[in-house]
Amino acid sequence: MNRVPRMLPALVALVAATSCAAESVPVPQAAAPVVKAAAVKISATETPQPTQTPQVTAKKPKLGIADITPMGEKTEKVGVGFPIIVTFDRDVKDRAAVEELLEVKAEKPVEGAWRWVSARKVIYRTKVYWKPHQKVLFSARLSQLPGNTAAKDVSRRFAVGTSNISVVDTRKHQMKVYRDGKIAKKIPISAGKGGMIKNGVDVYLTTSGVHLTMGKKAVETMTSSWLGVTDPKDPRYYKEEIPWAVRISDSGEYVHQSAGYYQFLGRSNQSHGCVRATPAGAKWFYTIAQRGDVVKITGTKRKLDWRNGWSYWQLNWTQWKKGSAL
């Protein structure tokens, strides 16, 4: 067996995830044994008992897949930074054996590798961003795992859309959006103002690093509960309905329309950590956003943790590969 995963030309796609299923290969049923009956005398008062056929119980798979992210080609297009996130239905004991059975084939191949982030979850990331406008096929041949013949072999094809790479400069208060390598729009922004220290971290600062968009909502309710502030009488309390919200981390960072305070856009940082944008700019960004788009933020002293959301590009390639079982 060739060692996988390997990028090959395709012949042929807080966090919400979708589950998938595929047709399983029927488990062969054992035939009932042939038994020759011995001659037995039956008395007049005895009733012959019917012969019972031995029951064969179907084997249960010892490992299956619970979730695959992102969704398939018919449901969404994804950005060039997107990861493949596979969650199993139980702890994986032999990670190397399982990883050998996971395969990724792209129409426009680039090098990639898996990284185990827990006993049940493994993530595939490429060395450089995916090429845009192509299909990527993921396959898991779990029925080939010893003792797991009853498992379902699963596959999903992803559709990579336009390359959307945004660069947010928190010092110049501007976001530049590049589409397929060309500058498409410059949007005045206001980032985190800083000044709220919790456990030694300034949580009002926007995190610097390579974020990926994880989802979006036309209107998102944002509250101060993440600060532990739920009393409306507290001066730090807020509860706002925010338009055009695109999530970029698990810790509550979004690119969204500024709720007023337009005088600060392009001039100073006044948010609680999100990237606030003009109404027109935020709506436009929301419209083009795909899960897995790249949002690179620079200029703050707070570094993005690679485990915060889909921030896997925070690890360099050498670091990333160390998480593989192969």
Side-chain angles (χ1 to χ4, degrees), residues 7 70 76-84 104 106 108-112 124-136 158-167 177-182 210-214 288-296 310 312-313 317:
M7 303 302 299
E76 68 173 332
K77 288 186 177 181
V78 292
V80 295
F82 86 93
I84 301 174
V104 178
K108 303 174 184 178
V110 290
E111 185 181 353
Y124 188 87
R125 201 206 87 184
T126 46
K127 182 178 181 179
V128 297
Y129 298 142
W130 298 96
K131 300 285 185 7
H133 309 295
Q134 65 161 320
K135 301 292 177 64
V136 177
F158 309 104
V160 187
T162 300
S163 171
N164 294 328
I165 298 179
S166 302
V167 180
V177 183
Y178 297 85
R179 306 202 73 202
D180 286 339
K182 297 180 180 180
V210 181
H211 304 67
L212 295 181
T213 57
M214 302 170 63
I288 69 162
Q290 310 159 132
R291 293 202 298 168
D293 285 344
V294 177
V295 179
K296 184 177 181 180
W310 293 356
Y312 309 123
W313 292 92
W317 186 236

Side-chain angles (χ1 to χ4, degrees), residues 5 22 61 115 122 124-125 127 143 151 167 179 221 255 259 263 321:
R115 182 183 181 92
V122 65
Y124 188 87
R125 201 206 87 184
K127 182 178 181 179
S143 66
V167 180
R179 306 202 73 202
T221 301
V255 176
Q263 69 273 23
K321 290 191 297 182

Side-chain angles (χ1 to χ4, degrees), residues 258-280:
S258 184
Y261 308 103
Y262 301 136
Q263 69 273 23
F264 298 122
L265 299 176
R267 293 184 174 87
S268 66
N269 295 324
Q270 297 294 327
S271 84
H272 293 148
C274 290
V275 176
R276 296 177 180 175
T278 60

Side-chain angles (χ1 to χ4, degrees), residues 234-266:
D234 192 307
R236 299 172 298 165
Y237 175 85
Y238 63 87
K239 182 179 181 180
E240 299 176 324
E241 301 295 314
I242 304 298
W244 315 125
V246 179
R247 178 180 282 276
I248 59 173
S249 77
D250 271 348
S251 58
E253 292 172 302
Y254 290 77
V255 176
H256 63 70
Q257 176 181 320
S258 184
Y261 308 103
Y262 301 136
Q263 69 273 23
F264 298 122
L265 299 176

